[in-house]
Amino acid sequence: MSENKLDNSEDNIPNLSEELSNIANNDDNNNKKQKKRSKLRIILYIIGAVSAFGVIGFVSIIVYVYILSLQLPSTDEFSKFKYTEPMVVYDAKGNIIAELGAERRYPISIEQMPPYVYQSVVAVEDARFYEHSGIDPLGIARAMVSNIKAGKMVEGGSTLTQQLVKVIYLSPERKVKRKIKEAIIAYRLDKELSKDKILELYLNQVNFGRGAYGIQAAAINYFGKEDVKDLTIAEAAMIAGIPKGPSIYAPHLNMKRAVARRNHVLKRMLEVKYITQEEYNAAVNETVKLSESIPLRLRHAGYFMDFVHKYIEEDLKIEDAQNKGIKVFTTLNLDYQIAAEDALIKNLMSIAKREGYKGTLGKILIEDDTDVEQVEDIIDNAVVSEENDNNTIKYVRLDNDVPSYLKDLGYQKAVITEAEKNTLKIKLSDGSEGTINFKDNNWITNAKNARAKSFLDVFAIDDMIYVSPVLKDNASTGVYMIEQNPDLEGAVVSINPQTGEIYAMAGGMSYFKSFFNRAVQARRQVGSTFKPLVYAAAYESGYYPMSVFYDTPVIQKSVKQGEEDWRPKNFDGQFMGEMTLERALQLSNNSITIKLAQAIGIKKIIRYAQMFGFTGEIPADLSVSIGSLSASPLELAVAYSTFSNQGMRPSKPFFVTRVADIDNKTLFEFQKPEMTRVLDEKSASLITDSLVKVVEKGGAWKSRNAVNRILGGKTGTSNDSKDGWFAGVLPNFVTVAWVGYDDYRKMGSYAVGGNTAQNIFIDYFKSINEKVPLALFKAPAGASYFKVNNDMHEITDSLIGNLGYSIYPVDSSNNPTVYDFKK
């Protein structure tokens, strides 16, 4: 068979299916390889793209952080950082009067802190503080794990350095951008400052709640400790636990949480070996002795403080002075100030009682009383009212919502539960019960302002009233007095007549009742306190104390049709005939003062009033001579300085001696004001002598026993008893007191300067009598003296017969032997 023939043997028959299968398999393998290569390429592309994007993103982040870092403040500013501190005002002896400012802060160095004080903060806030570089990656990782486990935000990763940055530079908002800024500055800060300095800044800056900024303020506000060195470990731990949440962990808000937080801090201190086991055990079991209240930032002299603050910002142009740590040294004497405030309050309460009872606070409010239309007062949510027969009945809750200035006086709210003729049974806001006896409250008047004959004339069951406890050995006896919040106001101001220094300034019953400073801002008719100025002008015009005038009626015809003639009367309505000027001033005689004004002329009186320092409008008629012009108590005190100081008065009041910055560097230092010559020494001496005789045997006789030294004084009362005045004069101390209603209401019919303002002066000076240096009125230089017979009003050298005479100074160029006192 030729070789070209087909081999039909079984072995030689091609296996087509196998061949086809192999071909198919080869194709599949090729396809798979191709697909693998394609996937690999895709993966490589993705990896490349991701890497590229990663590089771009990383570079972008680096660029972003770099650009952001350029916008951030330099850490150099931290080395120059100034804390926000209150303005502190001191009296003349260096006592703190008050602190003004938004934040109470007293920065101290870390060297002044016991180690456990700052260690307590480190232990609970940032245990790795001394190890990290401002940012703590381990802390951040730990916080993330804790938060994931808890399923919520339970722990933060911020270091103390980051917290400091946030407090000083950044807002507390939770944004990535802010956290990046915080981390950048914290890292820089850690490189720039020592750990101790960073910790010191933090401890002096952070808010510890209760108005305390910084660790020193926290020690004061929470535990009454003036120095952090006095804090126990337990107290330091409680304070350290507050910054995480002042509204949660502050002990005055939630003691249970505060103690738990304190114990956590102590446990952390033990774990990091800042304290021993024994110290831990003692601290955990220590009883918390929290200060009941925050020490007052404004201790006294609120009106004076406003006066000073206005001067600092408006005159010295120190903006935001109350937050710059400014130190202001003043002339105020805190002993005098406290005495003035106490005397003013005591007498305003007493005078107000003499004026009569204003009425109850209302009826007790029963919460479920459906008959009462509860129209709640927006201010204190404590008063509702009901219209009944055209009368409004007030309903008051029995709570302790009493104004702070009344609480300081011991006032409480009480509701009358039983009312009898001579006894009231009361329930007080604290749930206790008490009794009020009529015999102890006979000042109570009825609706017609007549003296009540019994309690039943005034009170009924469910009436709400103010009461104060009758104490014995500082303990309540269960017996109470009825009290009221007086509308009557007053002012006291004391100055040094030789320098113009303000020693005391009380501008009202309480600064917390009204900010209106009546010692400076109130301009009231001065009444008879103006008369010595008229007599001074007369003595400068040639008259003498022994000059004789006649006390007879004065009639000034009206120049306007329909107006009544002016017919001024003396206070007692009597006229006494012949009288010396000295006696007329002693008795504060009106008719003789008016006649004297006619004799020397109104223009001269106005000119002298201006020389004495009165700046307001001065009436250009005879009424000015008996005090129709208006002035402030401070203005009147400056005017009276002329009599104390031999005719010289300060050109202006003097009350700030020095102002220093936060580093105690002097910003302003003040010299005592220049003195202005108003009267010659002889005239001033004659008025001073007359004012002394006013106290010895005239209208101010009640002051005679108030001091153990020579005192001059003058009372004053304006028309219709709207104002009561007293001016007390010593060589080195002038005080003016005023009493009246802000709305110019008439005081009681018997209210005059002698039994209102003078009583304030008496109580005031009695309490400081031993503290005011002794001084004598100086005799005028270059003057000779002559004797005048008190009966004949003639100059005499006689040493026999009637020896009643007075001695007066006269300029040596004059010849008093030919002077006619009755000209």
Side-chain angles (χ1 to χ4, degrees):
M1 194 180 286
S2 75
E3 55 186 11
N4 292 329
K5 290 182 180 177
L6 292 176
D7 187 353
N8 292 326
S9 67
E10 188 176 358
D11 295 333
N12 294 329
I13 297 173
N15 191 335
L16 296 176
S17 61
E18 186 177 340
E19 293 257 353
L20 292 171
S21 178
N22 289 334
I23 293 170
N25 287 336
N26 289 334
D27 289 341
D28 286 343
N29 290 334
N30 291 334
N31 289 334
K32 285 181 179 178
K33 289 179 179 178
Q34 288 178 356
K35 287 180 179 179
K36 284 182 179 179
R37 284 194 291 269
S38 297
K39 288 180 179 178
L40 183 58
R41 281 195 298 269
I42 292 170
I43 291 170
L44 291 173
Y45 289 152
I46 292 172
I47 292 172
V50 170
S51 298
F53 281 120
V55 171
I56 294 171
F58 180 74
V59 172
S60 297
I61 291 172
I62 295 298
V63 172
Y64 175 75
V65 170
Y66 175 72
I67 293 173
L68 199 60
S69 68
L70 295 177
Q71 301 171 2
L72 297 177
S74 169
T75 52
D76 289 341
E77 294 185 21
F78 274 93
S79 59
K80 304 173 185 175
F81 178 73
K82 298 292 184 182
Y83 299 104
T84 298
E85 292 185 45
M87 180 172 81
V88 182
V89 183
Y90 301 86
D91 81 341
K93 296 180 180 179
N95 301 304
I96 294 178
I97 303 170
E99 304 161 41
L100 301 180
E103 300 177 0
R104 170 173 270 183
R105 179 183 284 107
Y106 313 103
I108 57 173
S109 68
I110 200 164
E111 289 79 13
Q112 295 174 279
M113 306 176 199
Y116 59 81
V117 168
Y118 55 80
Q119 287 171 347
S120 62
V121 175
V122 172
V124 74
E125 293 288 347
D126 188 1
R128 286 174 32 82
F129 174 70
Y130 291 102
E131 300 169 27
H132 60 65
S133 57
I135 309 165
D136 186 10
L138 290 178
I140 295 171
R142 183 180 63 251
M144 288 178 63
V145 171
S146 298
N147 294 336
I148 291 170
K149 284 181 178 180
K152 59 181 180 179
M153 195 74 169
V154 295
E155 187 176 340
S158 294
T159 64
L160 277 175
T161 314
Q162 288 175 274
Q163 292 180 45
L164 174 63
V165 171
K166 181 172 64 177
V167 169
I168 293 179
Y169 273 145
L170 306 174
S171 67
E173 60 181 351
R174 294 186 176 184
K175 289 185 177 181
V176 174
K177 183 178 180 180
R178 199 269 296 163
K179 293 295 289 183
I180 295 172
K181 287 180 177 180
E182 181 185 289
I184 294 170
I185 300 176
Y187 179 79
R188 288 179 179 176
L189 195 60
D190 194 80
K191 301 301 179 187
E192 183 76 22
L193 302 179
S194 69
K195 290 289 187 180
D196 283 351
K197 186 61 180 178
I198 291 171
L199 191 55
E200 178 185 300
L201 286 166
Y202 176 85
L203 289 170
N204 283 317
Q205 184 66 19
V206 74
N207 177 16
F208 285 96
R210 210 183 195 190
Y213 289 80
I215 194 76
Q216 184 84 310
I220 294 171
N221 284 13
Y222 285 110
F223 300 107
K225 304 289 180 72
E226 292 293 332
D227 197 314
V228 293
K229 291 179 181 178
D230 300 326
L231 289 174
T232 66
I233 293 175
E235 290 168 343
M238 180 166 280
I239 290 174
I242 295 173
K244 184 177 181 181
S247 62
I248 300 173
Y249 299 116
H252 69 293
L253 299 177
N254 192 318
M255 181 59 74
K256 185 177 179 180
R257 284 181 180 174
V259 170
R261 177 70 174 164
R262 177 200 71 178
N263 293 344
H264 171 66
V265 175
L266 291 169
K267 184 178 180 182
R268 290 292 300 136
M269 293 178 74
L270 178 64
E271 289 171 351
V272 296
K273 299 182 180 179
Y274 284 151
I275 57 175
T276 65
Q277 184 67 50
E278 291 75 18
E279 288 173 325
Y280 170 80
N281 293 339
V284 165
N285 293 305
E286 184 176 302
T287 302
V288 179
K289 298 177 182 178
L290 195 66
S291 178
E292 291 184 5
S293 60
I294 305 172
L296 292 175
R297 299 176 70 185
L298 179 60
R299 294 168 172 81
H300 293 282
Y303 297 104
F304 180 73
M305 286 305 308
D306 273 358
F307 191 55
V308 169
H309 187 221
K310 183 174 183 287
Y311 176 74
I312 295 297
E313 292 207 334
E314 294 185 8
D315 291 63
L316 301 186
K317 308 298 183 185
I318 303 177
E319 296 181 2
D320 196 31
Q322 63 182 17
N323 292 312
K324 291 182 177 178
I326 299 294
K327 297 175 177 63
V328 182
F329 301 88
T330 72
T331 62
L332 197 82
N333 183 306
L334 200 52
D335 291 334
Y336 297 173
Q337 178 67 31
I338 293 171
E341 291 176 357
D342 290 346
L344 180 60
I345 292 171
K346 173 189 172 183
N347 281 277
L348 288 179
M349 308 296 285
S350 175
I351 298 166
K353 285 183 177 181
R354 196 171 68 208
E355 294 279 289
Y357 188 58
K358 296 192 304 177
T360 66
L361 301 176
K363 293 284 186 181
I364 187 171
L365 172 65
I366 302 173
E367 299 291 351
D368 59 356
D369 188 351
T370 55
D371 295 331
V372 178
E373 181 185 357
Q374 296 191 7
V375 184
E376 294 189 352
D377 190 295
I378 297 174
I379 296 175
D380 59 12
N381 199 33
V383 179
V384 299
S385 60
E386 176 184 38
E387 295 294 335
N388 184 11
D389 298 329
N390 297 321
N391 292 319
T392 299
I393 303 174
K394 284 186 177 180
Y395 291 86
V396 185
R397 291 185 175 88
L398 182 58
D399 53 27
N400 201 27
D401 186 24
V402 179
S404 61
Y405 61 92
L406 294 180
K407 281 185 181 178
D408 291 342
L409 298 173
Y411 278 31
Q412 299 177 60
K413 279 184 183 178
V415 62
I416 297 173
T417 56
E418 295 180 31
E420 298 180 2
K421 184 176 180 180
N422 295 314
T423 307
L424 297 176
K425 297 290 184 181
I426 58 172
K427 179 181 179 182
L428 290 98
S429 56
D430 61 5
S432 62
E433 297 180 342
T435 302
I436 302 174
N437 298 316
F438 184 73
K439 65 178 182 179
D440 299 325
N441 296 274
N442 57 9
W443 63 274
I444 297 295
T445 54
N446 59 27
K448 295 180 180 179
N449 211 32
R451 193 75 65 187
K453 295 180 180 179
S454 80
F455 278 144
L456 298 180
D457 293 338
V458 183
F459 301 107
I461 292 174
D462 291 343
D463 279 349
M464 193 80 73
I465 58 177
Y466 279 135
V467 298
S468 66
V470 176
L471 302 177
K472 184 177 181 180
D473 298 327
N474 291 323
S476 178
T477 60
V479 178
Y480 290 81
M481 300 285 290
I482 297 172
E483 303 290 359
Q484 66 182 351
N485 187 0
D487 295 331
L488 195 69
E489 280 292 354
V492 178
V493 62
S494 295
I495 68 172
N496 183 331
Q498 299 167 7
T499 62
E501 295 170 78
I502 296 177
Y503 285 152
M505 178 186 286
M509 177 181 171
S510 171
Y511 179 73
F512 300 102
K513 178 182 180 182
S514 165
F515 296 155
F516 181 61
N517 187 351
R518 295 157 191 85
V520 177
Q521 295 171 294
R523 302 192 66 82
R524 307 291 295 230
Q525 282 194 350
V526 297
S528 294
T529 58
F530 186 78
K531 288 175 181 175
L533 282 72
V534 177
Y535 286 73
Y539 296 160
E540 295 261 292
S541 302
Y543 290 89
Y544 278 89
M546 298 306 290
S547 297
V548 175
F549 275 70
Y550 291 88
D551 179 21
T552 55
V554 174
I555 301 175
Q556 188 177 58
K557 294 291 185 180
S558 172
V559 295
K560 293 184 179 179
Q561 189 175 1
E563 283 189 357
E564 294 184 0
D565 296 339
W566 186 49
R567 298 171 180 265
K569 297 180 180 179
N570 294 323
F571 179 74
D572 59 3
Q574 304 296 314
F575 295 95
M576 301 175 65
E578 183 180 281
M579 188 181 298
T580 64
L581 293 184
E582 179 181 79
R583 186 60 178 161
L585 184 55
Q586 287 176 19
L587 299 178
S588 199
N589 185 284
N590 284 338
S591 70
I592 288 180
T593 304
I594 293 169
K595 291 177 179 180
L596 185 61
Q598 284 178 317
I600 63 176
I602 292 298
K603 288 184 178 180
K604 177 172 282 191
I605 291 175
I606 292 175
R607 180 164 60 84
Y608 269 86
Q610 292 169 340
M611 290 167 59
F612 271 94
F614 291 106
T615 58
E617 182 179 349
I618 302 174
D621 56 55
L622 288 173
S623 70
V624 70
S625 65
I626 53 175
S628 63
L629 92 168
S630 296
S632 70
L634 179 58
E635 206 168 45
L636 189 63
V638 172
Y640 266 70
S641 295
T642 306
F643 306 134
S644 292
N645 199 37
Q646 295 185 294
M648 301 281 283
R649 69 166 177 84
S651 58
K652 58 183 178 180
F654 178 51
F655 52 97
V656 174
T657 58
R658 177 174 169 256
V659 177
D661 66 11
I662 196 170
D663 298 317
N664 207 29
K665 180 182 177 182
T666 299
L667 298 176
F668 297 93
E669 194 156 17
F670 303 89
Q671 300 299 319
K672 294 172 184 177
E674 295 180 355
M675 304 302 289
T676 300
R677 170 65 67 183
V678 179
L679 303 172
D680 65 35
E681 292 184 20
K682 180 198 69 174
S683 300
S685 180
L686 290 172
I687 293 296
T688 300
D689 184 63
S690 293
L691 291 175
V692 169
K693 289 176 180 175
V694 169
V695 171
E696 290 178 350
K697 47 189 175 182
W701 61 269
K702 289 174 67 176
S703 296
R704 185 172 56 231
N705 299 323
V707 296
N708 57 356
R709 63 185 82 184
I710 296 174
L711 169 72
K714 185 71 186 76
T715 61
T717 308
S718 68
N719 287 337
D720 296 325
S721 293
K722 293 178 181 177
D723 304 274
W725 294 87
F726 182 77
V729 176
L730 291 166
N732 56 348
F733 192 85
V734 171
T735 293
V736 169
W738 166 84
V739 174
Y741 288 103
D742 285 341
D743 60 3
Y744 294 90
R745 266 184 288 160
K746 178 182 177 180
M747 292 189 288
S749 301
Y750 301 102
V752 293
N755 60 18
T756 57
Q758 183 178 208
N759 290 347
I760 295 171
F761 173 82
I762 290 171
D763 286 335
Y764 169 37
F765 204 86
K766 276 182 177 179
S767 63
I768 63 170
N769 196 356
E770 302 301 321
K771 297 176 182 178
V772 178
L774 291 172
L776 296 175
F777 291 108
K778 294 180 180 180
S784 57
Y785 290 80
F786 61 93
K787 296 184 294 182
V788 177
N789 184 290
N790 290 340
D791 291 336
M792 302 300 295
H793 310 317
E794 295 177 348
I795 295 172
T796 179
D797 288 323
S798 174
L799 296 177
I800 59 174
N802 184 355
L803 297 181
Y805 59 83
S806 298
I807 300 177
Y808 299 99
V810 63
D811 190 290
S812 57
S813 63
N814 290 344
N815 185 1
T817 57
V818 297
Y819 189 85
D820 180 8
F821 291 119
K822 296 183 180 181
K823 67 176 182 180

